Amino acid sequence: EIVLTQSPGTLSLSPGERATLSCRASQSISRSYLAWYQQRPGQAPRLVMFGASRRPTGIPDRFSGSGSGTDFTLTISRLEPEDFAVYYCQHYGSGNTFTFGQGTKVE
Amino acid sequence: QLQLEESGPALVKPSETLSLTCNVSGGSIRSSNHYWAWLRQPPGKGLEWIGSIYYSANAYQNPSLKSRVTMSVDTSRNEFSLRLTSVTAADTAFYFCARHAYLEGNWFDPWGQGILVTVSS
């Protein structure tokens, strides 16, 4: 079973700063099956990136994704107040398994 | 705009069955491009996929929960449901339903707002 490890656990930044969030897989995975979600307090998760680097409609272009193999990154170029939230990476693997990272809180 | 909304009891007794329904509006559950999923999140913790079901009723579940999970779909009501048997306190969580895009990369979007289910006597 693939394990996703996100770092750091908490990222303390100010509005306007750049946020770099890491998601590391325990073995090489296909970038096609790597997604990122944003969860604001008291809300459901929202998809912000799929296929490692593809932005869903409506997600601002300050969000970008990159990576391959075992290392993936979600970058928020200039933090807006509404971006302060918890971010989760998610992988779909063989045998119809879905794995989530433990989350990174951007505060 | 597609919207999903969970409904069901907020409190379930230990050893009993948790039953939830997700109503889909703004689109048809009979989508050939999507499954429909259940996920959960214990308060203050991370996310766990429970299972996904197609409008034809083809379904698959998280192996760790498979023996206790049943999912069904009602296309006439545009809704799908979850049953989780023999619940314990460990099943206390926010339960979310979501559309599952399976053709391209298997992600979940959008999600319902979630419902907190507490298992307690």
Side-chain angles (χ1 to χ4, degrees):
Chain A
E1 179 184 326
I2 291 175
V3 176
L4 298 179
T5 302
Q6 294 187 240
S7 61
T10 301
L11 200 50
S12 298
L13 295 168
S14 300
E17 291 192 301
R18 182 185 189 89
T20 303
L21 288 67
S22 172
C23 177
R24 177 163 291 178
S26 56
Q27 58 187 277
S28 183
I29 62 174
S30 169
R31 57 185 285 115
S32 296
Y33 296 135
L34 195 285
W36 290 89
Y37 300 87
Q38 173 196 70
Q39 187 174 32
R40 295 169 177 153
Q43 295 188 17
R46 177 175 73 142
L47 182 73
V48 296
M49 202 67 58
F50 64 95
S53 59
R54 300 170 64 185
R55 250 188 342 267
T57 302
I59 300 302
D61 61 6
R62 63 180 180 272
F63 287 85
S64 62
S66 63
S68 63
T70 60
D71 293 311
F72 296 86
T73 301
L74 178 71
T75 302
I76 311 170
S77 59
R78 295 172 310 279
L79 283 165
E80 296 287 341
E82 61 269 25
D83 300 334
F84 290 89
V86 179
Y87 292 83
Y88 294 95
C89 57
Q90 174 246 312
H91 173 252
Y92 168 76
S94 60
N96 292 326
T97 57
F98 294 85
T99 307
F100 288 88
Q102 81 280 16
T104 289
K105 182 178 182 180
V106 180
E107 64 173 25
Chain B
Q1 181 181 353
L2 190 77
Q3 292 186 312
L4 296 90
E5 184 174 10
E6 306 87 352
S7 61
L11 182 64
V12 181
K13 289 182 168 56
S15 80
E16 295 191 345
T17 296
L18 179 159
S19 295
L20 297 174
T21 296
C22 181
N23 181 264
V24 179
S25 59
S28 175
I29 201 169
R30 297 175 65 90
S31 168
S32 59
N33 294 334
H34 299 96
Y35 272 65
W36 303 90
W38 289 99
L39 304 100
R40 69 181 183 177
Q41 183 177 40
K45 296 188 178 180
L47 296 160
E48 180 181 36
W49 170 74
I50 299 171
S52 296
I53 188 166
Y54 199 58
Y55 75 88
S56 64
N58 183 50
Y60 55 104
Q61 302 86 18
N62 187 324
S64 68
L65 298 169
K66 187 173 182 178
S67 63
R68 298 196 292 132
V69 168
T70 303
M71 293 179 290
S72 60
V73 61
D74 186 337
T75 56
S76 66
R77 298 173 67 91
N78 223 39
E79 60 187 29
F80 60 106
S81 299
L82 169 72
R83 283 170 48 91
L84 180 67
T85 61
S86 305
V87 297
T88 68
D91 295 309
T92 293
F94 289 93
Y95 285 77
F96 299 97
C97 58
R99 185 176 64 176
H100 169 186
Y102 77 100
L103 284 180
E104 290 189 70
N106 285 280
W107 59 83
F108 306 104
D109 178 62
W111 297 51
Q113 84 279 7
I115 183 170
L116 175 60
V117 180
T118 301
V119 178
S120 175
S121 56

mmCIF file of all heavy atoms in Angstrom, chain B residues 20-67:
data_model
loop_
_atom_site.group_PDB
_atom_site.id
_atom_site.type_symbol
_atom_site.label_atom_id
_atom_site.label_comp_id
_atom_site.label_asym_id
_atom_site.label_seq_id
_atom_site.Cartn_x
_atom_site.Cartn_y
_atom_site.Cartn_z
ATOM 1 N N LEU B 20 -27.100 6.544 5.408
ATOM 2 C CA LEU B 20 -27.052 7.906 4.879
ATOM 3 C C LEU B 20 -27.472 7.904 3.411
ATOM 4 O O LEU B 20 -27.269 6.922 2.700
ATOM 5 C CB LEU B 20 -25.647 8.487 4.995
ATOM 6 C CG LEU B 20 -25.079 8.670 6.399
ATOM 7 C CD1 LEU B 20 -23.622 9.121 6.314
ATOM 8 C CD2 LEU B 20 -25.889 9.681 7.185
ATOM 9 N N THR B 21 -28.023 9.020 2.990
ATOM 10 C CA THR B 21 -28.414 9.206 1.597
ATOM 11 C C THR B 21 -27.788 10.482 1.077
ATOM 12 O O THR B 21 -27.655 11.465 1.819
ATOM 13 C CB THR B 21 -29.944 9.271 1.471
ATOM 14 O OG1 THR B 21 -30.495 8.013 1.862
ATOM 15 C CG2 THR B 21 -30.374 9.575 0.044
ATOM 16 N N CYS B 22 -27.401 10.460 -0.182
ATOM 17 C CA CYS B 22 -26.856 11.645 -0.846
ATOM 18 C C CYS B 22 -27.751 11.986 -2.031
ATOM 19 O O CYS B 22 -27.916 11.179 -2.956
ATOM 20 C CB CYS B 22 -25.444 11.379 -1.325
ATOM 21 S SG CYS B 22 -24.673 12.798 -2.148
ATOM 22 N N ASN B 23 -28.337 13.162 -1.996
ATOM 23 C CA ASN B 23 -29.162 13.626 -3.105
ATOM 24 C C ASN B 23 -28.323 14.473 -4.050
ATOM 25 O O ASN B 23 -27.617 15.393 -3.616
ATOM 26 C CB ASN B 23 -30.353 14.424 -2.583
ATOM 27 C CG ASN B 23 -31.240 14.912 -3.718
ATOM 28 O OD1 ASN B 23 -31.103 16.040 -4.176
ATOM 29 N ND2 ASN B 23 -32.109 14.046 -4.194
ATOM 30 N N VAL B 24 -28.419 14.164 -5.314
ATOM 31 C CA VAL B 24 -27.671 14.884 -6.337
ATOM 32 C C VAL B 24 -28.620 15.810 -7.085
ATOM 33 O O VAL B 24 -29.668 15.366 -7.577
ATOM 34 C CB VAL B 24 -27.015 13.895 -7.323
ATOM 35 C CG1 VAL B 24 -26.259 14.648 -8.415
ATOM 36 C CG2 VAL B 24 -26.071 12.949 -6.574
ATOM 37 N N SER B 25 -28.275 17.083 -7.176
ATOM 38 C CA SER B 25 -29.094 18.037 -7.915
ATOM 39 C C SER B 25 -28.222 18.817 -8.887
ATOM 40 O O SER B 25 -27.009 18.925 -8.711
ATOM 41 C CB SER B 25 -29.808 18.995 -6.960
ATOM 42 O OG SER B 25 -28.869 19.703 -6.162
ATOM 43 N N GLY B 26 -28.856 19.344 -9.930
ATOM 44 C CA GLY B 26 -28.114 20.106 -10.925
ATOM 45 C C GLY B 26 -27.416 19.234 -11.945
ATOM 46 O O GLY B 26 -26.601 19.732 -12.732
ATOM 47 N N GLY B 27 -27.708 17.954 -11.936
ATOM 48 C CA GLY B 27 -27.101 17.022 -12.878
ATOM 49 C C GLY B 27 -27.648 15.632 -12.644
ATOM 50 O O GLY B 27 -28.283 15.371 -11.616
ATOM 51 N N SER B 28 -27.406 14.757 -13.593
ATOM 52 C CA SER B 28 -27.944 13.407 -13.490
ATOM 53 C C SER B 28 -26.936 12.444 -12.882
ATOM 54 O O SER B 28 -25.747 12.461 -13.202
ATOM 55 C CB SER B 28 -28.352 12.893 -14.876
ATOM 56 O OG SER B 28 -28.771 11.542 -14.788
ATOM 57 N N ILE B 29 -27.470 11.570 -12.028
ATOM 58 C CA ILE B 29 -26.627 10.535 -11.445
ATOM 59 C C ILE B 29 -26.295 9.477 -12.502
ATOM 60 O O ILE B 29 -25.380 8.673 -12.332
ATOM 61 C CB ILE B 29 -27.322 9.925 -10.212
ATOM 62 C CG1 ILE B 29 -26.310 9.246 -9.277
ATOM 63 C CG2 ILE B 29 -28.410 8.939 -10.638
ATOM 64 C CD1 ILE B 29 -26.889 8.873 -7.939
ATOM 65 N N ARG B 30 -27.010 9.499 -13.610
ATOM 66 C CA ARG B 30 -26.780 8.540 -14.689
ATOM 67 C C ARG B 30 -25.671 9.015 -15.615
ATOM 68 O O ARG B 30 -25.822 8.993 -16.841
ATOM 69 C CB ARG B 30 -28.065 8.305 -15.461
ATOM 70 C CG ARG B 30 -29.177 7.698 -14.644
ATOM 71 C CD ARG B 30 -30.469 7.599 -15.454
ATOM 72 N NE ARG B 30 -30.316 6.678 -16.581
ATOM 73 C CZ ARG B 30 -30.580 5.376 -16.522
ATOM 74 N NH1 ARG B 30 -31.011 4.848 -15.392
ATOM 75 N NH2 ARG B 30 -30.428 4.616 -17.583
ATOM 76 N N SER B 31 -24.604 9.471 -15.056
ATOM 77 C CA SER B 31 -23.469 9.942 -15.842
ATOM 78 C C SER B 31 -22.560 8.774 -16.176
ATOM 79 O O SER B 31 -22.157 8.011 -15.284
ATOM 80 C CB SER B 31 -22.684 10.985 -15.043
ATOM 81 O OG SER B 31 -21.431 11.243 -15.667
ATOM 82 N N SER B 32 -22.213 8.655 -17.434
ATOM 83 C CA SER B 32 -21.333 7.549 -17.831
ATOM 84 C C SER B 32 -19.883 7.811 -17.430
ATOM 85 O O SER B 32 -19.059 6.894 -17.450
ATOM 86 C CB SER B 32 -21.421 7.327 -19.344
ATOM 87 O OG SER B 32 -21.045 8.497 -20.040
ATOM 88 N N ASN B 33 -19.588 9.062 -17.070
ATOM 89 C CA ASN B 33 -18.209 9.424 -16.772
ATOM 90 C C ASN B 33 -17.866 9.425 -15.286
ATOM 91 O O ASN B 33 -16.741 9.735 -14.906
ATOM 92 C CB ASN B 33 -17.895 10.822 -17.318
ATOM 93 C CG ASN B 33 -17.939 10.885 -18.825
ATOM 94 O OD1 ASN B 33 -17.738 9.872 -19.489
ATOM 95 N ND2 ASN B 33 -18.222 12.063 -19.353
ATOM 96 N N HIS B 34 -18.855 9.119 -14.464
ATOM 97 C CA HIS B 34 -18.621 9.267 -13.035
ATOM 98 C C HIS B 34 -19.165 8.112 -12.224
ATOM 99 O O HIS B 34 -20.175 7.507 -12.564
ATOM 100 C CB HIS B 34 -19.264 10.572 -12.521
ATOM 101 C CG HIS B 34 -18.718 11.812 -13.169
ATOM 102 N ND1 HIS B 34 -19.335 12.414 -14.237
ATOM 103 C CD2 HIS B 34 -17.606 12.529 -12.902
ATOM 104 C CE1 HIS B 34 -18.630 13.469 -14.597
ATOM 105 N NE2 HIS B 34 -17.569 13.563 -13.817
ATOM 106 N N TYR B 35 -18.463 7.829 -11.139
ATOM 107 C CA TYR B 35 -19.002 7.070 -10.040
ATOM 108 C C TYR B 35 -19.451 8.102 -8.998
ATOM 109 O O TYR B 35 -19.262 9.307 -9.162
ATOM 110 C CB TYR B 35 -17.929 6.148 -9.431
ATOM 111 C CG TYR B 35 -17.826 4.791 -10.082
ATOM 112 C CD1 TYR B 35 -17.416 4.651 -11.413
ATOM 113 C CD2 TYR B 35 -18.107 3.641 -9.362
ATOM 114 C CE1 TYR B 35 -17.305 3.396 -11.994
ATOM 115 C CE2 TYR B 35 -17.992 2.382 -9.932
ATOM 116 C CZ TYR B 35 -17.601 2.266 -11.259
ATOM 117 O OH TYR B 35 -17.487 1.020 -11.833
ATOM 118 N N TRP B 36 -20.024 7.579 -7.918
ATOM 119 C CA TRP B 36 -20.488 8.427 -6.809
ATOM 120 C C TRP B 36 -19.929 7.825 -5.526
ATOM 121 O O TRP B 36 -20.066 6.625 -5.288
ATOM 122 C CB TRP B 36 -22.012 8.504 -6.807
ATOM 123 C CG TRP B 36 -22.501 9.027 -8.123
ATOM 124 C CD1 TRP B 36 -22.823 8.302 -9.231
ATOM 125 C CD2 TRP B 36 -22.620 10.410 -8.496
ATOM 126 N NE1 TRP B 36 -23.147 9.144 -10.274
ATOM 127 C CE2 TRP B 36 -23.037 10.438 -9.840
ATOM 128 C CE3 TRP B 36 -22.428 11.621 -7.819
ATOM 129 C CZ2 TRP B 36 -23.275 11.631 -10.530
ATOM 130 C CZ3 TRP B 36 -22.654 12.799 -8.494
ATOM 131 C CH2 TRP B 36 -23.065 12.800 -9.833
ATOM 132 N N ALA B 37 -19.298 8.666 -4.729
ATOM 133 C CA ALA B 37 -18.466 8.158 -3.639
ATOM 134 C C ALA B 37 -18.927 8.600 -2.262
ATOM 135 O O ALA B 37 -19.606 9.622 -2.102
ATOM 136 C CB ALA B 37 -17.021 8.622 -3.838
ATOM 137 N N TRP B 38 -18.521 7.812 -1.289
ATOM 138 C CA TRP B 38 -18.644 8.170 0.132
ATOM 139 C C TRP B 38 -17.247 8.237 0.733
ATOM 140 O O TRP B 38 -16.403 7.354 0.489
ATOM 141 C CB TRP B 38 -19.480 7.136 0.884
ATOM 142 C CG TRP B 38 -20.932 7.176 0.545
ATOM 143 C CD1 TRP B 38 -21.612 6.366 -0.320
ATOM 144 C CD2 TRP B 38 -21.905 8.101 1.065
ATOM 145 N NE1 TRP B 38 -22.938 6.725 -0.370
ATOM 146 C CE2 TRP B 38 -23.143 7.785 0.475
ATOM 147 C CE3 TRP B 38 -21.853 9.161 1.979
ATOM 148 C CZ2 TRP B 38 -24.324 8.482 0.759
ATOM 149 C CZ3 TRP B 38 -23.013 9.851 2.267
ATOM 150 C CH2 TRP B 38 -24.225 9.519 1.661
ATOM 151 N N LEU B 39 -17.035 9.272 1.523
ATOM 152 C CA LEU B 39 -15.773 9.451 2.242
ATOM 153 C C LEU B 39 -16.120 9.905 3.651
ATOM 154 O O LEU B 39 -17.226 10.372 3.911
ATOM 155 C CB LEU B 39 -14.879 10.483 1.552
ATOM 156 C CG LEU B 39 -14.557 10.218 0.084
ATOM 157 C CD1 LEU B 39 -15.445 11.064 -0.822
ATOM 158 C CD2 LEU B 39 -13.090 10.470 -0.213
ATOM 159 N N ARG B 40 -15.160 9.767 4.549
ATOM 160 C CA ARG B 40 -15.425 10.225 5.902
ATOM 161 C C ARG B 40 -14.183 10.825 6.536
ATOM 162 O O ARG B 40 -13.055 10.608 6.051
ATOM 163 C CB ARG B 40 -15.965 9.087 6.770
ATOM 164 C CG ARG B 40 -14.952 7.971 7.086
ATOM 165 C CD ARG B 40 -15.608 6.901 7.936
ATOM 166 N NE ARG B 40 -14.657 5.857 8.315
ATOM 167 C CZ ARG B 40 -14.972 4.838 9.103
ATOM 168 N NH1 ARG B 40 -16.205 4.706 9.584
ATOM 169 N NH2 ARG B 40 -14.045 3.941 9.403
ATOM 170 N N GLN B 41 -14.405 11.568 7.616
ATOM 171 C CA GLN B 41 -13.323 12.270 8.294
ATOM 172 C C GLN B 41 -13.655 12.367 9.778
ATOM 173 O O GLN B 41 -14.527 13.159 10.166
ATOM 174 C CB GLN B 41 -13.157 13.670 7.690
ATOM 175 C CG GLN B 41 -12.020 14.475 8.271
ATOM 176 C CD GLN B 41 -11.873 15.815 7.560
ATOM 177 O OE1 GLN B 41 -12.850 16.475 7.219
ATOM 178 N NE2 GLN B 41 -10.637 16.236 7.326
ATOM 179 N N PRO B 42 -12.997 11.592 10.612
ATOM 180 C CA PRO B 42 -13.204 11.759 12.064
ATOM 181 C C PRO B 42 -12.862 13.190 12.458
ATOM 182 O O PRO B 42 -11.952 13.794 11.863
ATOM 183 C CB PRO B 42 -12.219 10.761 12.677
ATOM 184 C CG PRO B 42 -11.996 9.742 11.610
ATOM 185 C CD PRO B 42 -12.055 10.506 10.318
ATOM 186 N N PRO B 43 -13.560 13.745 13.418
ATOM 187 C CA PRO B 43 -13.307 15.141 13.807
ATOM 188 C C PRO B 43 -11.836 15.392 14.105
ATOM 189 O O PRO B 43 -11.213 14.673 14.886
ATOM 190 C CB PRO B 43 -14.172 15.304 15.057
ATOM 191 C CG PRO B 43 -15.299 14.353 14.858
ATOM 192 C CD PRO B 43 -14.680 13.173 14.163
ATOM 193 N N GLY B 44 -11.276 16.382 13.434
ATOM 194 C CA GLY B 44 -9.888 16.758 13.641
ATOM 195 C C GLY B 44 -8.868 15.842 12.996
ATOM 196 O O GLY B 44 -7.661 16.022 13.210
ATOM 197 N N LYS B 45 -9.330 14.898 12.189
ATOM 198 C CA LYS B 45 -8.400 13.940 11.583
ATOM 199 C C LYS B 45 -8.470 13.989 10.055
ATOM 200 O O LYS B 45 -9.072 14.886 9.488
ATOM 201 C CB LYS B 45 -8.699 12.534 12.114
ATOM 202 C CG LYS B 45 -8.470 12.406 13.613
ATOM 203 C CD LYS B 45 -8.580 10.982 14.083
ATOM 204 C CE LYS B 45 -8.291 10.893 15.580
ATOM 205 N NZ LYS B 45 -8.385 9.488 16.078
ATOM 206 N N GLY B 46 -7.836 13.005 9.420
ATOM 207 C CA GLY B 46 -7.729 13.008 7.971
ATOM 208 C C GLY B 46 -8.888 12.315 7.276
ATOM 209 O O GLY B 46 -9.860 11.890 7.887
ATOM 210 N N LEU B 47 -8.763 12.217 5.961
ATOM 211 C CA LEU B 47 -9.822 11.719 5.090
ATOM 212 C C LEU B 47 -9.649 10.239 4.768
ATOM 213 O O LEU B 47 -8.529 9.749 4.617
ATOM 214 C CB LEU B 47 -9.819 12.522 3.785
ATOM 215 C CG LEU B 47 -10.154 14.010 3.936
ATOM 216 C CD1 LEU B 47 -9.651 14.796 2.731
ATOM 217 C CD2 LEU B 47 -11.651 14.196 4.106
ATOM 218 N N GLU B 48 -10.772 9.551 4.638
ATOM 219 C CA GLU B 48 -10.785 8.127 4.307
ATOM 220 C C GLU B 48 -11.865 7.866 3.273
ATOM 221 O O GLU B 48 -13.026 8.261 3.459
ATOM 222 C CB GLU B 48 -11.042 7.282 5.548
ATOM 223 C CG GLU B 48 -11.067 5.777 5.281
ATOM 224 C CD GLU B 48 -11.356 4.960 6.524
ATOM 225 O OE1 GLU B 48 -12.151 5.420 7.372
ATOM 226 O OE2 GLU B 48 -10.789 3.851 6.654
ATOM 227 N N TRP B 49 -11.506 7.208 2.190
ATOM 228 C CA TRP B 49 -12.486 6.793 1.185
ATOM 229 C C TRP B 49 -13.198 5.546 1.670
ATOM 230 O O TRP B 49 -12.559 4.603 2.145
ATOM 231 C CB TRP B 49 -11.771 6.526 -0.136
ATOM 232 C CG TRP B 49 -12.604 5.874 -1.190
ATOM 233 C CD1 TRP B 49 -13.581 6.441 -1.939
ATOM 234 C CD2 TRP B 49 -12.509 4.513 -1.636
ATOM 235 N NE1 TRP B 49 -14.107 5.530 -2.817
ATOM 236 C CE2 TRP B 49 -13.462 4.337 -2.662
ATOM 237 C CE3 TRP B 49 -11.705 3.430 -1.274
ATOM 238 C CZ2 TRP B 49 -13.649 3.125 -3.320
ATOM 239 C CZ3 TRP B 49 -11.869 2.223 -1.926
ATOM 240 C CH2 TRP B 49 -12.840 2.079 -2.940
ATOM 241 N N ILE B 50 -14.526 5.547 1.545
ATOM 242 C CA ILE B 50 -15.339 4.412 1.977
ATOM 243 C C ILE B 50 -15.691 3.514 0.801
ATOM 244 O O ILE B 50 -15.556 2.289 0.871
ATOM 245 C CB ILE B 50 -16.627 4.893 2.664
ATOM 246 C CG1 ILE B 50 -16.314 5.718 3.911
ATOM 247 C CG2 ILE B 50 -17.515 3.694 3.015
ATOM 248 C CD1 ILE B 50 -17.528 6.401 4.506
ATOM 249 N N GLY B 51 -16.158 4.113 -0.285
ATOM 250 C CA GLY B 51 -16.542 3.318 -1.435
ATOM 251 C C GLY B 51 -17.143 4.180 -2.524
ATOM 252 O O GLY B 51 -17.452 5.354 -2.302
ATOM 253 N N SER B 52 -17.306 3.588 -3.699
ATOM 254 C CA SER B 52 -17.866 4.284 -4.851
ATOM 255 C C SER B 52 -18.842 3.382 -5.578
ATOM 256 O O SER B 52 -18.650 2.157 -5.626
ATOM 257 C CB SER B 52 -16.753 4.708 -5.819
ATOM 258 O OG SER B 52 -15.877 5.643 -5.230
ATOM 259 N N ILE B 53 -19.889 3.998 -6.150
ATOM 260 C CA ILE B 53 -20.915 3.241 -6.845
ATOM 261 C C ILE B 53 -21.266 3.930 -8.156
ATOM 262 O O ILE B 53 -21.291 5.159 -8.240
ATOM 263 C CB ILE B 53 -22.163 3.067 -5.944
ATOM 264 C CG1 ILE B 53 -23.171 2.118 -6.592
ATOM 265 C CG2 ILE B 53 -22.805 4.420 -5.598
ATOM 266 C CD1 ILE B 53 -24.248 1.629 -5.637
ATOM 267 N N TYR B 54 -21.512 3.128 -9.176
ATOM 268 C CA TYR B 54 -21.923 3.613 -10.496
ATOM 269 C C TYR B 54 -23.443 3.586 -10.557
ATOM 270 O O TYR B 54 -24.095 2.898 -9.757
ATOM 271 C CB TYR B 54 -21.323 2.686 -11.552
ATOM 272 C CG TYR B 54 -21.249 3.231 -12.956
ATOM 273 C CD1 TYR B 54 -20.556 4.398 -13.249
ATOM 274 C CD2 TYR B 54 -21.856 2.546 -14.012
ATOM 275 C CE1 TYR B 54 -20.472 4.874 -14.552
ATOM 276 C CE2 TYR B 54 -21.769 3.012 -15.312
ATOM 277 C CZ TYR B 54 -21.072 4.179 -15.574
ATOM 278 O OH TYR B 54 -20.989 4.637 -16.867
ATOM 279 N N TYR B 55 -24.021 4.325 -11.528
ATOM 280 C CA TYR B 55 -25.480 4.384 -11.582
ATOM 281 C C TYR B 55 -26.097 3.022 -11.894
ATOM 282 O O TYR B 55 -27.258 2.776 -11.592
ATOM 283 C CB TYR B 55 -25.940 5.435 -12.585
ATOM 284 C CG TYR B 55 -25.795 5.055 -14.042
ATOM 285 C CD1 TYR B 55 -26.800 4.364 -14.708
ATOM 286 C CD2 TYR B 55 -24.665 5.415 -14.764
ATOM 287 C CE1 TYR B 55 -26.676 4.036 -16.040
ATOM 288 C CE2 TYR B 55 -24.531 5.089 -16.090
ATOM 289 C CZ TYR B 55 -25.537 4.393 -16.728
ATOM 290 O OH TYR B 55 -25.393 4.063 -18.062
ATOM 291 N N SER B 56 -25.283 2.124 -12.456
ATOM 292 C CA SER B 56 -25.775 0.764 -12.737
ATOM 293 C C SER B 56 -25.745 -0.116 -11.498
ATOM 294 O O SER B 56 -26.163 -1.270 -11.541
ATOM 295 C CB SER B 56 -24.901 0.112 -13.817
ATOM 296 O OG SER B 56 -23.579 -0.048 -13.333
ATOM 297 N N ALA B 57 -25.233 0.442 -10.407
ATOM 298 C CA ALA B 57 -25.107 -0.236 -9.111
ATOM 299 C C ALA B 57 -23.807 -1.015 -8.969
ATOM 300 O O ALA B 57 -23.585 -1.633 -7.914
ATOM 301 C CB ALA B 57 -26.303 -1.114 -8.783
ATOM 302 N N ASN B 58 -22.951 -1.001 -9.986
ATOM 303 C CA ASN B 58 -21.619 -1.563 -9.796
ATOM 304 C C ASN B 58 -20.890 -0.739 -8.731
ATOM 305 O O ASN B 58 -20.864 0.494 -8.791
ATOM 306 C CB ASN B 58 -20.840 -1.518 -11.108
ATOM 307 C CG ASN B 58 -19.478 -2.153 -10.989
ATOM 308 O OD1 ASN B 58 -19.367 -3.267 -10.503
ATOM 309 N ND2 ASN B 58 -18.433 -1.450 -11.392
ATOM 310 N N ALA B 59 -20.309 -1.431 -7.763
ATOM 311 C CA ALA B 59 -19.714 -0.702 -6.641
ATOM 312 C C ALA B 59 -18.442 -1.381 -6.164
ATOM 313 O O ALA B 59 -18.244 -2.582 -6.380
ATOM 314 C CB ALA B 59 -20.707 -0.600 -5.488
ATOM 315 N N TYR B 60 -17.577 -0.604 -5.517
ATOM 316 C CA TYR B 60 -16.412 -1.176 -4.854
ATOM 317 C C TYR B 60 -16.108 -0.360 -3.606
ATOM 318 O O TYR B 60 -16.450 0.816 -3.529
ATOM 319 C CB TYR B 60 -15.210 -1.280 -5.787
ATOM 320 C CG TYR B 60 -14.765 -0.017 -6.474
ATOM 321 C CD1 TYR B 60 -13.641 0.674 -6.039
ATOM 322 C CD2 TYR B 60 -15.442 0.468 -7.582
ATOM 323 C CE1 TYR B 60 -13.213 1.808 -6.684
ATOM 324 C CE2 TYR B 60 -15.015 1.611 -8.232
ATOM 325 C CZ TYR B 60 -13.901 2.279 -7.787
ATOM 326 O OH TYR B 60 -13.484 3.426 -8.422
ATOM 327 N N GLN B 61 -15.520 -1.038 -2.636
ATOM 328 C CA GLN B 61 -15.361 -0.458 -1.309
ATOM 329 C C GLN B 61 -13.921 -0.538 -0.827
ATOM 330 O O GLN B 61 -13.130 -1.330 -1.304
ATOM 331 C CB GLN B 61 -16.241 -1.202 -0.288
ATOM 332 C CG GLN B 61 -17.713 -1.230 -0.590
ATOM 333 C CD GLN B 61 -18.093 -2.372 -1.514
ATOM 334 O OE1 GLN B 61 -17.350 -3.335 -1.675
ATOM 335 N NE2 GLN B 61 -19.247 -2.251 -2.146
ATOM 336 N N ASN B 62 -13.629 0.280 0.160
ATOM 337 C CA ASN B 62 -12.359 0.209 0.870
ATOM 338 C C ASN B 62 -12.267 -1.179 1.518
ATOM 339 O O ASN B 62 -13.168 -1.574 2.256
ATOM 340 C CB ASN B 62 -12.321 1.309 1.941
ATOM 341 C CG ASN B 62 -10.980 1.428 2.618
ATOM 342 O OD1 ASN B 62 -10.297 0.435 2.851
ATOM 343 N ND2 ASN B 62 -10.615 2.652 2.957
ATOM 344 N N PRO B 63 -11.199 -1.914 1.239
ATOM 345 C CA PRO B 63 -11.086 -3.268 1.804
ATOM 346 C C PRO B 63 -11.218 -3.300 3.321
ATOM 347 O O PRO B 63 -11.719 -4.276 3.881
ATOM 348 C CB PRO B 63 -9.696 -3.714 1.352
ATOM 349 C CG PRO B 63 -9.430 -2.940 0.108
ATOM 350 C CD PRO B 63 -10.079 -1.603 0.339
ATOM 351 N N SER B 64 -10.789 -2.231 3.988
ATOM 352 C CA SER B 64 -10.835 -2.217 5.450
ATOM 353 C C SER B 64 -12.257 -2.108 5.986
ATOM 354 O O SER B 64 -12.502 -2.382 7.159
ATOM 355 C CB SER B 64 -9.989 -1.059 5.986
ATOM 356 O OG SER B 64 -10.581 0.185 5.663
ATOM 357 N N LEU B 65 -13.186 -1.719 5.133
ATOM 358 C CA LEU B 65 -14.574 -1.549 5.550
ATOM 359 C C LEU B 65 -15.531 -2.448 4.781
ATOM 360 O O LEU B 65 -16.729 -2.483 5.101
ATOM 361 C CB LEU B 65 -15.016 -0.091 5.344
ATOM 362 C CG LEU B 65 -14.267 0.970 6.127
ATOM 363 C CD1 LEU B 65 -14.638 2.363 5.598
ATOM 364 C CD2 LEU B 65 -14.593 0.877 7.608
ATOM 365 N N LYS B 66 -15.011 -3.170 3.821
ATOM 366 C CA LYS B 66 -15.850 -3.859 2.850
ATOM 367 C C LYS B 66 -16.911 -4.756 3.479
ATOM 368 O O LYS B 66 -18.051 -4.800 3.011
ATOM 369 C CB LYS B 66 -14.965 -4.687 1.907
ATOM 370 C CG LYS B 66 -15.720 -5.315 0.762
ATOM 371 C CD LYS B 66 -14.773 -5.983 -0.220
ATOM 372 C CE LYS B 66 -15.540 -6.561 -1.405
ATOM 373 N NZ LYS B 66 -14.618 -7.173 -2.407
ATOM 374 N N SER B 67 -16.549 -5.457 4.542
ATOM 375 C CA SER B 67 -17.497 -6.410 5.129
ATOM 376 C C SER B 67 -18.681 -5.710 5.790
ATOM 377 O O SER B 67 -19.707 -6.346 6.056
ATOM 378 C CB SER B 67 -16.771 -7.292 6.150
ATOM 379 O OG SER B 67 -16.277 -6.489 7.217
#
